[in-house]
C-alpha cells in the first residue's frame, strides 16, 4: 500500500505536469517539489562471486511508512554479468516545455556487458518493470561503441549516453551514443573525427552552446582493477573536452595536468545562465572548476584540494582521498563530495564558485576508521584513525561513494560501492562479500553542517539472493544529477 508521502508525491507530480512536460520549469521550482518517498538503486552481483543478475532495488524513504529504509521491490535484469552502474531518464526537466513528453523510463546502461535497459517506473512506481533491452550487438554494429556509462535525456526527446571504448576495451573507440525516444539506436552524437581521447561523464549547458565531458580511462585497464603504472602508461585521462552544443564538434581540450588525474563526475551549475561548473578529479583528489573566459574560450583552476595522507600498512606511502562523486544543490549554494578511501563526505558553500568554503564534514567509513589495519601519520609523527559511528548497531563498510540530494537540499543519501573490481581491490571481502549499505545524512542548509541520521540504514548484505553492491540512486521525479535546465 502506498504511503501518504508517496501519494502526495505522485499527485503533485501529475498536477505540475498537467499542461507541461516532465520535471520543473527551473531549479528553484524543483526545490519546492514534493519530498522523496521512493528511491531506485542499481545493485550489482557481478564480481561478487554470486552468479545472479544485477537488479534495480526500490527503497522506501518515507519516514512515515512502515517499510521505511527497507528494500520493497527488486527487478532483476535478464542476464548475468552486466555491471549496472549509472542511470538516467528518457525525459527530464530539459523537456519541461514539451507537454507530450513523459518521464516514464529509467535508463540503465550496463558498463561491462554493453546492454542498455529501459525500465518502466510510471506504471507502478513501487514495482518497476522491464520495458526494453538494447542489445550490445546492435550498438556495436551501428556505432562501434561499447561500455556505456552516463545517460542524459535531450530536449529533442532523444537519449544520449557516453560510451567509454570499443568492444575490445580500447579507449580510442569511445564516444556518445544516441537513442531515439523508442530506444532504437540512431548513431553517434559527435561528428566524425570529434571523439574524445577518453570518455566518462558529460553535462550540457545549452544557453552557452557547450557540452563538457570528462575522461576516466581505457576499459581494458580499469575493468581489471586499478594499476598505478597504467596512469603513466597513458591508460587514464586528465582532460576535459569542450564541445559545441548541439553540433558535436570539439572546440577545446583542457589538459588538467597532474592536478586533474582521472576527472570523473562533471556538473555545470544548475542555473542555465551560468557559465561555470566543476569536475571531481579522483586520483589527484581535487575539485577543478571550469569556466568561460572573456574571449569566449574555456579555462580551469583547482578550486578545492584534498591533501593525501601519509599512511602505514597500505599499498602506498600516501593515500589520496579519491573523489569519486559530487553534486551541487539545486540553488547552486552548496557542493558535496565524497572521499571514497579517506571515508568522509564534505559540504562546501559555493556562493562564490571560485572560492568554496568548507561548511560540513562527516566520516561514514573508509580505510582509516578505528579498527582498521591502516593508520595515517600526522606531521608530528602521531598515528591516528577516524571515528566512524555505528548505525543501528552496524559497523560501516567500504567508503562513501555515490550520493544523492533531496530536492529541498536537506537530506543526502549515500551508497558505498564504486565498481566491483575496484571494490574488491581496495576493500576486499568486507565490501564484496558482506555487501553494501545505504545511509542518509541530515543537512543544515542555513549555517551548513552534516549529521548522520541514526534511524536510516539499508543493509544490502541481507538481500534474498545474497550480499549485493549498491551504486547510483534516482528519485521517480528526477533529481539534481539527472535533470538539466535549458
Amino acid at each position: 500500500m502506498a504511503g501518504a508521502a508517496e501519494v502526495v508525491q505522485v499527485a503533485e507530480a501529475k498536477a505540475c505536469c498537467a499542461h507541461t512536460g516532465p520535471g520543473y520549469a527551473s531549479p528553484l521550482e524543483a526545490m519546492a517539489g514534493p519530498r522523496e518517498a521512493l528511491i531506485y538503486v542499481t545493485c550489482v552481483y557481478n564480481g561478487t562471486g554470486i552468479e545472479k543478475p544485477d537488479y534495480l532495488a526500490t527503497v522506501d524513504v518515507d519516514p512515515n511508512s512502515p517499510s521505511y529504509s527497507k528494500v520493497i521491490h527488486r527487478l532483476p535484469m535478464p542476464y548475468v554479468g552486466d555491471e549496472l552502474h549509472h542511470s538516467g531518464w528518457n525525459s527530464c526537466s530539459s523537456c519541461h516545455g514539451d507537454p507530450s513528453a513523459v518521464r516514464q523510463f529509467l535508463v540503465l546502461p550496463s558498463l561491462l556487458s554493453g546492454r542498455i535497459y529501459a525500465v518502466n517506473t510510471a506504471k507502478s512506481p513501487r514495482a518497476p518493470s522491464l520495458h526494453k533491452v538494447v542489445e550490445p550487438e546492435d550498438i556495436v554494429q551501428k556505432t562501434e561503441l561499447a561500455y556505456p556509462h552516463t545517460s542524459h535525456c535531450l530536449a529533442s526527446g532523444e537519449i544520449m549516453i557516453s560510451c567509454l571504448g570499443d568492444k575490445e576495451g580500447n579507449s580510442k573507440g569511445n564516444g556518445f551514443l544516441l537513442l531515439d525516444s523508442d530506444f532504437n539506436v540512431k548513431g553517434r552524437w559527435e561528428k566524425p573525427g570529434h571523439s574524445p581521447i577518453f570518455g566518462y561523464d558529460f553535462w550540457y549547458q545549452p544557453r552557452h552552446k557547450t557540452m563538457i565531458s570528462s575522461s576516466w580511462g581505457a576499459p581494458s585497464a580499469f575493468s581489471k582493477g586499478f594499476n598505478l603504472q597504467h596512469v603513466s602508461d597513458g591508460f587514464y585521462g586528465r582532460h576535459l573536452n569542450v564541445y559545441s552544443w548541439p553540433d558535436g564538434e570539439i572546440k577545446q581540450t583542457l589538459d588538467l595536468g597532474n592536478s586533474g588525474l582521472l576527472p570523473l563526475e562533471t556538473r555545470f551549475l544548475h542555473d542555465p545562465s551560468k557559465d561555470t561548473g566543476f569536475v571531481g578529479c579522483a586520483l589527484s583528489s581535487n575539485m577543478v572548476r571550469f569556466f568561460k573566459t572573456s574571449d569566449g574560450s574555456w579555462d580551469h583552476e583547482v578550486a578545492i584540494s584534498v591533501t593525501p595522507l601519509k599512511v602505514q600498512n597500505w599499498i602506498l606511502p600516501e593515500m589520496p582521498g579519491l573523489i569519486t562523486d559530487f553534486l551541487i544543490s539545486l540553488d547552486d549554494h552548496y557542493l558535496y563530495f565524497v572521499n571514497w578511501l579517506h571515508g568522509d563526505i564534505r559540504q562546501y558553500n559555493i556562493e562564490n564558485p571560485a572560492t568554496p568554503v568548507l561548511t560540513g564534514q562527516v566520516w561514514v567509513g573508509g580505510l582509516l576508521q578505528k579498527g582498521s589495519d591502516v593508520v595515517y601519520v600526522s606531521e608530528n609523527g602521531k598515528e591516528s584513525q577516524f571515528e566512524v559511528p555505528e548505525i543501528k548497531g552496524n559497523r560501516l563498510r567500504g567508503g562513501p561513494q555515490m550520493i544523492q540530494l533531496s530536492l529541498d537540499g536537506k537530506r543526502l543519501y549515500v551508497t558505498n560501492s564504486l565498481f566491483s573490481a575496484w571494490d574488491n581491490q581496495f576493500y576486499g571481502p568486507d565490501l564484496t562479500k558482506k555487501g553494501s549499505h545505504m545511509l542518509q545524512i541530515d543537512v543544515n542548509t542555513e549555517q551548513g553542517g552534516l549529521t548522520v541520521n541514526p534511524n536510516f540504514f539499508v543493509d544490502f548484505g541481507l538481500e534474498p539472493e545474497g550480499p549485493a553492491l549498491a551504486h547510483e540512486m534516482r528519485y521517480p521525479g528526477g533529481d539534481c544529477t539527472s535533470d538539466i535546465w535549458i
Side-chain angles (χ1 to χ4, degrees):
M1 182 176 177
E6 185 185 336
V7 172
V8 171
Q9 183 178 8
V10 172
E12 290 191 20
K14 288 181 178 177
C16 86
C17 300
H19 304 291
T20 59
Y24 301 87
S26 71
L28 293 182
E29 184 181 296
M31 287 195 79
R35 176 176 173 140
E36 69 282 0
L38 301 172
I39 196 165
Y40 302 125
V41 187
T42 53
C43 294
V44 173
Y45 279 127
N46 184 62
T48 67
I50 297 175
E51 292 298 310
K52 296 286 184 178
D54 300 344
Y55 62 99
L56 183 70
T58 306
V59 176
D60 187 335
V61 293
D62 176 2
N64 297 313
S65 168
S67 53
Y68 175 60
S69 97
K70 289 183 171 57
V71 178
I72 58 172
H73 184 264
R74 300 162 186 88
L75 174 66
M77 300 301 110
Y79 302 95
V80 173
D82 282 322
E83 189 92 26
L84 294 182
H85 200 60
H86 283 208
S87 58
W89 291 104
N90 70 302
S91 190
C92 72
S93 292
S94 65
C95 309
H96 185 71
D98 180 0
S100 69
V102 180
R103 189 198 306 262
Q104 58 181 329
F105 299 116
L106 188 63
V107 182
L108 302 178
S110 302
L111 186 56
L112 294 185
S113 73
R115 291 185 191 92
I116 298 170
Y117 298 104
V119 172
N120 190 324
T121 63
K123 190 185 300 182
S124 177
R126 293 172 69 87
S129 55
L130 185 61
H131 170 71
K132 185 172 182 178
V133 182
V134 184
E135 294 292 351
E137 293 80 9
D138 189 27
I139 298 170
V140 170
Q141 180 187 354
K142 295 175 180 176
T143 67
E144 299 184 340
L145 292 169
Y147 298 90
H149 187 270
T150 296
S151 171
H152 279 300
C153 67
L154 309 185
S156 62
E158 297 165 312
I159 299 153
M160 181 168 155
I161 302 173
S162 61
C163 295
L164 309 193
D166 62 16
K167 62 185 176 65
E168 281 79 35
N170 301 307
S171 62
K172 64 178 175 61
N174 82 91
F176 302 92
L177 171 68
L178 268 186
L179 303 178
D180 68 17
S181 57
D182 293 319
F183 302 99
N184 298 308
V185 176
K186 290 190 70 174
R188 285 180 179 244
W189 169 78
E190 77 276 16
K191 289 189 174 177
H194 288 265
S195 299
I197 304 169
F198 294 100
Y200 188 70
D201 198 22
F202 70 97
W203 196 280
Y204 58 91
Q205 198 78 321
R207 295 190 194 178
H208 294 279
K209 299 180 179 179
T210 297
M211 184 274 272
I212 292 183
S213 72
S214 59
S215 355
W216 183 9
S220 60
F222 70 69
S223 63
K224 298 175 177 62
F226 179 69
N227 182 338
L228 188 60
Q229 182 61 40
H230 284 164
V231 177
S232 54
D233 288 347
F235 287 100
Y236 285 95
R238 63 181 204 184
H239 297 85
L240 292 181
N241 309 290
V242 182
Y243 279 89
S244 58
W245 183 268
D247 307 329
E249 295 182 355
I250 289 184
K251 295 300 184 183
Q252 272 185 269
T253 299
L254 303 179
D255 187 343
L256 307 182
N258 289 334
S259 64
L261 297 175
L262 279 66
L264 299 182
E265 309 303 327
T266 307
R267 330 266 190 215
F268 272 96
L269 295 183
H270 295 290
D271 181 341
S273 70
K274 300 297 184 184
D275 58 3
T276 190
F278 295 86
V279 60
C281 301
L283 189 58
S284 302
S285 297
N286 289 326
M287 289 301 309
V288 170
R289 183 176 78 96
F290 52 84
F291 52 93
K292 187 189 279 188
T293 66
S294 57
D295 66 3
S297 64
W298 293 80
D299 204 351
H300 64 92
E301 65 182 7
V302 174
I304 304 167
S305 290
V306 176
T307 304
L309 297 175
K310 294 180 180 178
V311 294
Q312 292 183 357
N313 308 322
W314 198 54
I315 54 176
L316 297 171
E318 288 191 340
M319 181 188 293
L322 212 73
I323 299 174
T324 51
D325 194 23
F326 86 96
L327 53 75
I328 297 170
S329 62
L330 286 167
D331 57 3
D332 294 330
H333 190 125
Y334 290 109
L335 180 150
Y336 302 83
F337 70 76
V338 302
N339 287 305
W340 190 55
L341 297 182
H342 288 182
D344 60 312
I345 304 172
R346 299 190 185 190
Q347 175 197 49
Y348 283 82
N349 183 317
I350 56 165
E351 288 178 292
N352 182 348
T355 56
V357 178
L358 180 65
T359 50
Q361 187 174 22
V362 63
W363 271 266
V364 289
L367 291 170
L368 296 165
Q369 61 177 299
K370 286 200 171 175
S372 165
D373 293 332
V374 186
V375 298
Y376 73 91
V377 183
S378 58
E379 293 295 326
N380 61 10
K382 182 182 177 183
E383 296 182 0
S384 301
Q385 292 178 315
F386 296 115
E387 290 278 0
V388 174
E390 288 192 348
I391 307 299
K392 300 183 80 169
N394 295 280
R395 176 184 171 275
L396 300 188
R397 307 181 289 270
Q401 211 291 109
M402 294 303 293
I403 49 177
Q404 190 54 264
L405 189 65
S406 60
L407 296 182
D408 62 8
K410 295 181 178 179
R411 292 165 300 283
L412 190 71
Y413 295 90
V414 191
T415 56
N416 59 352
S417 167
L418 171 58
F419 175 64
S420 63
W422 292 36
D423 292 348
N424 194 53
Q425 178 178 356
F426 289 101
Y427 282 101
D430 193 47
L431 182 53
T432 56
K433 298 303 181 185
K434 295 181 181 178
S436 284
H437 48 59
M438 179 176 162
L439 312 175
Q440 187 243 300
I441 311 296
D442 291 322
V443 179
N444 185 327
T445 57
E446 301 298 325
Q447 290 80 35
L450 302 173
T451 308
V452 180
N453 180 348
N455 300 313
F456 187 97
F457 186 84
V458 183
D459 192 347
F460 291 95
L462 302 177
E463 288 293 270
E465 299 286 0
L469 300 172
H471 195 64
E472 184 153 69
M473 299 160 281
R474 289 272 174 248
Y475 306 129
D479 49 66
C480 68
T481 60
S482 69
D483 283 36
I484 294 176
W485 281 266
I486 61 174

